[in-house]
Amino acid sequence: MTNPIDLTGKLLIAMPGMGDPRFEHSVIFMCAHSDEGAMGLVINKPTRDLQFKDLLEQLSIKPGPDLREMAVHFGGPVEHGRGFVLHDYGYHSSISTLDVNDDFAMTATLDILEDLAEGRGPARVIMALGYAGWGPGQLESEIAQNGWLTCDADRGLVFDTPDPEKWEGALNKLGISALTLSADAGRA
């Protein structure tokens, strides 16, 4: 069976009343979507108590003098101890980078953290712990049940928009105001 939609490289926008408080007002960048399931990173929920420099210290990675301040995001409830870096397409890890499309890539190996600690690596990044994952057909079912809207991802919204503004920014890409959304699904 082939997947009728491919959301790889798209954004999922959580609908009000979706039922899972972990995803309330979430925007998820979809890294992969196929018949076998889907994987994405929440891009608008920074952790409260963990910054990049703290993560480096926990991993015994020495920061260089050009270390940037970066938030670490809640990427999703699956494997929340594992790190993922969503970044612009230009950077490729010597170990492994997943090319999502012509604008985005994702790396989940320590070498990207080492490069970022030294002031190298990709210019635009979202660092996340954990990911959002769906089994075969699960995401499609959640979309059909009015759990998510989808829209195209662009680098400005993903990397440059402040986290608290990403949910409404993604809705605006669809021409939707948050005030007009209903938590109830309807049938025509």
Side-chain angles (χ1 to χ4, degrees):
M1 183 172 123
T2 60
N3 197 9
I5 57 172
D6 182 1
L7 297 175
T8 302
K10 306 281 187 187
L11 296 177
L12 293 182
I13 308 160
M15 287 289 288
M18 76 171 314
D20 189 335
R22 297 172 297 182
F23 294 113
E24 183 176 346
H25 289 102
S26 287
V27 178
I28 298 177
F29 180 86
M30 295 302 298
C31 298
H33 184 218
S34 71
D35 290 343
E36 298 172 12
M39 181 266 184
L41 300 173
V42 177
I43 61 168
N44 66 326
K45 296 197 177 213
T47 61
R48 294 181 186 185
D49 301 325
L50 185 65
Q51 293 292 313
F52 182 48
K53 63 181 180 235
D54 303 322
L55 185 62
L56 293 177
E57 186 175 314
Q58 289 177 14
L59 296 170
S60 300
I61 297 173
K62 185 176 182 200
D66 296 324
L67 179 70
R68 295 181 276 169
E69 280 296 316
M70 287 184 269
V72 177
H73 289 74
F74 164 75
V78 182
E79 292 191 51
H80 52 82
R82 186 171 174 201
F84 300 87
V85 180
L86 178 65
H87 53 87
D88 49 0
Y89 183 80
Y91 174 89
H92 282 85
S93 159
S94 61
I95 299 172
S96 177
T97 292
L98 170 67
D99 292 330
V100 177
N101 59 27
D102 290 343
D103 291 324
F104 298 96
M106 191 268 298
T107 302
T109 52
L110 277 178
D111 59 331
I112 191 171
L113 299 180
E114 293 165 346
D115 286 348
L116 289 167
E118 288 294 322
R120 298 185 311 266
R124 299 167 109 182
V125 300
I126 292 179
M127 194 163 319
L129 288 177
Y131 68 92
W134 295 265
Q138 183 182 2
L139 178 57
E140 294 81 357
S141 175
E142 289 180 14
I143 291 171
Q145 294 172 21
N146 203 37
W148 302 100
L149 293 173
T150 63
C151 74
D152 290 334
D154 67 68
R155 289 177 290 203
L157 178 62
V158 172
F159 295 119
D160 301 333
T161 302
D163 290 324
E165 298 171 21
K166 286 179 182 174
W167 186 72
E168 285 193 36
L171 289 173
N172 289 340
K173 282 184 66 77
L174 295 172
I176 297 172
S177 166
L179 298 175
T180 63
L181 287 179
S182 170
D184 300 321
R187 297 279 185 253

